[in-house]
Every structure is written in structure tokens, then in C-alpha cells.
Amino acid sequence: MGATKAVTDASFASDVLKSDKPVLVDFWAEWCGPCRKVSPLLEEIAGEMSDQVTIVKLNIDENPETARTYRVMSVPTLTIFKNGEPVQSIAGAKPKGELVKLIESAL
């Protein structure tokens, strides 16, 4: 995984909720075609904006608790967290510009 980081139910609180900068969480699944389209865009953005945001990936099949807590109904769902709270979410594969706008909404 290059610039993005995998998180789990166990590490979600420390990696996302307690982060000192905004965190974009990619709720994804292995079987999800659109998730594979979004993944390289997130890697690019993670490299370009690493000083402003952390981008993490949470596999919903391996980590159902967190997905349930945040009512993730479809994948990919991308949620930006700031100060431990979800700020905004989008579902589905989106172009890079929309992903950057989602991140900027929390900066």
C-alpha cells in the first residue's frame, strides 16, 4: 500500500479518532470493482497532501464493527474525520477532484 495505511476495528480509535489532522477513511472490500478504481487516486492524493491529511483504508469484511458503527451501506464509502468526528461522506467511485474537495471540506 504506498502512502495509504490499513486500519482495523482495533486500531480505528488511535489511527483515526485521535489523529491530530483530518483523516480520510476509505471503507472498501476486496470484491468491490469501484474500490479498485478509487484506490490509485487515493494513493496519489495521500502522496500529494500528506502534510494536511492522513488517508487510511478499512476493509469492511475484515472489520465489520467500525463499518456498522458509521452505517456504511455501500462501498466504496469515503468519510473524512476531523477531531474524532465524521465531517462528510461520499459513496461510490469519484474523480480525483471530488475526492480532493471532500478532504478540503475538513481542512
Side-chain angles (χ1 to χ4, degrees):
M1 248 194 258
T4 63
K5 175 181 178 181
V7 295
T8 64
D9 284 344
S11 70
F12 193 83
S14 60
D15 288 339
V16 177
L17 303 181
K18 294 180 178 152
S19 175
D20 55 355
K21 61 182 173 181
V23 180
L24 179 67
V25 180
D26 173 19
F27 293 96
W28 71 285
E30 200 70 50
W31 46 263
C32 164
C35 296
R36 288 192 285 277
K37 288 190 179 113
V38 170
S39 193
L41 299 177
L42 294 175
E43 291 290 338
E44 271 179 45
I45 295 167
E48 294 164 3
M49 299 181 76
S50 62
D51 55 329
Q52 297 170 282
V53 67
T54 301
I55 298 180
V56 301
K57 300 170 76 63
L58 183 122
N59 182 320
I60 64 159
D61 291 331
E62 295 170 4
N63 303 284
E65 288 303 314
T66 303
R68 199 170 328 164
T69 300
Y70 292 101
R71 294 184 174 87
V72 174
M73 299 296 171
S74 63
V75 288
T77 292
L78 301 154
T79 303
I80 187 87
F81 286 79
K82 184 176 184 177
N83 301 323
E85 296 293 323
V87 176
Q88 197 174 342
S89 257
I90 56 174
K94 303 290 183 207
K96 185 176 177 181
E98 280 191 51
L99 301 176
V100 170
K101 277 189 193 136
L102 176 67
I103 293 166
E104 288 173 343
S105 74
L107 299 181

